Amino acid sequence: GDSPATAQYVSSDSLGQELERLTVSRSEGRDPVFTYAGGTAGSVAKVPELSSAIQGTDISWIDLTLAFLWWKGGRVTGREDVLERPCYVVEVPVPAGQAGPYAGVRIWVEEQNRMFLKAEGVDANGKQVRVLWVKSVKKINDRWMLKDMEVQASPVHRTKLIVREVNGEKTGLQPETEANESGKVTPIPMQVE
């Protein structure tokens, strides 16, 4: 509901101490604006490359913010099943001037609900550089949210992300614990091979 639409992504340690915070604001017809704070003092710092790894994981800021879902110029190039669900395959070029390890992203979008289930970063030759899988989603107040995803940037290592809490004052979203108590969260398990 905010204008501009704003989201914050916080990385914390196992004790809940904030390590990094990236804020993204998006206005219609304009490039997104990013701000960053890091370290134990949470001091404002230069925004890192969005393709850089977060805290030594396989997950980049592009993955965490799902920034590729906002990129322009995508086109449907086929249809394939993911998790036994029919999907459109959409290929999206990396925006001009954006640094990163790949030239584009291939996204699998589930046909019926229009949710993305898988994304691959590809190089200029179309070869997969990294892959992101949606493992499960949940519904909070009639909005579908990502619950678990995995990212693989090398053949021998994967990083799993579990979303424990979603807050949204303007959107009417409630923290997951409140939504569970009211019975409005419906997890949908999915298996990824």
Side-chain angles (χ1 to χ4, degrees):
D2 275 347
S3 184
T6 302
Q8 291 186 339
Y9 303 88
V10 178
S11 170
S12 302
D13 65 16
S14 61
L15 301 174
Q17 178 70 38
E18 184 174 314
L19 301 172
E20 298 178 273
R21 176 184 298 260
L22 183 74
T23 303
V24 184
S25 295
R26 297 182 187 280
S27 296
E28 186 68 33
R30 294 186 166 178
D31 288 338
V33 175
F34 296 91
T35 56
Y36 175 80
T40 55
S43 57
V44 176
K46 181 182 174 197
V47 176
E49 288 292 330
L50 297 181
S51 60
S52 64
I54 301 171
Q55 298 295 317
T57 68
D58 287 315
I59 298 175
S60 71
W61 291 107
I62 290 174
D63 302 327
L64 186 61
T65 64
L66 303 176
F68 52 84
L69 295 177
W70 295 86
W71 294 349
K72 307 266 187 230
R75 61 187 174 85
V76 176
T77 59
R79 296 168 95 174
E80 293 179 15
D81 285 356
V82 173
L83 303 173
E84 299 180 12
R85 296 170 187 250
C87 294
Y88 297 110
V89 180
V90 181
E91 295 195 23
V92 185
V94 171
Q98 183 159 334
Y102 40 86
V105 176
R106 193 173 297 129
I107 305 168
W108 283 258
V109 179
E110 197 266 341
E111 289 181 15
Q112 183 178 350
N113 296 308
R114 306 287 197 252
M115 294 184 301
F116 100 92
L117 298 180
K118 180 180 173 183
E120 289 180 345
V122 296
D123 65 16
N125 297 319
K127 183 180 175 190
Q128 177 185 309
V129 177
R130 67 190 298 110
V131 64
L132 180 152
W133 298 273
V134 173
K135 298 282 284 183
S136 64
V137 296
K138 61 186 168 192
K139 193 172 189 178
I140 300 176
N141 295 346
D142 297 323
R143 293 179 189 255
W144 289 101
M145 300 289 167
L146 184 120
K147 183 174 183 245
D148 300 311
M149 74 176 183
E150 287 189 13
V151 177
Q152 185 170 1
S154 74
V156 296
H157 188 262
R158 282 188 186 183
T159 299
K160 182 174 185 174
L161 173 75
I162 300 169
V163 177
R164 296 187 192 274
E165 184 176 317
V166 175
N167 293 319
E169 294 174 17
K170 299 287 184 188
T171 62
L173 298 176
Q174 300 298 316
E176 182 178 349
T177 52
E178 291 178 26
N180 278 336
E181 291 169 3
S182 68
K184 292 190 178 183
V185 172
T186 309
I188 298 179
M190 298 181 195
Q191 300 298 317
V192 176
E193 298 178 12

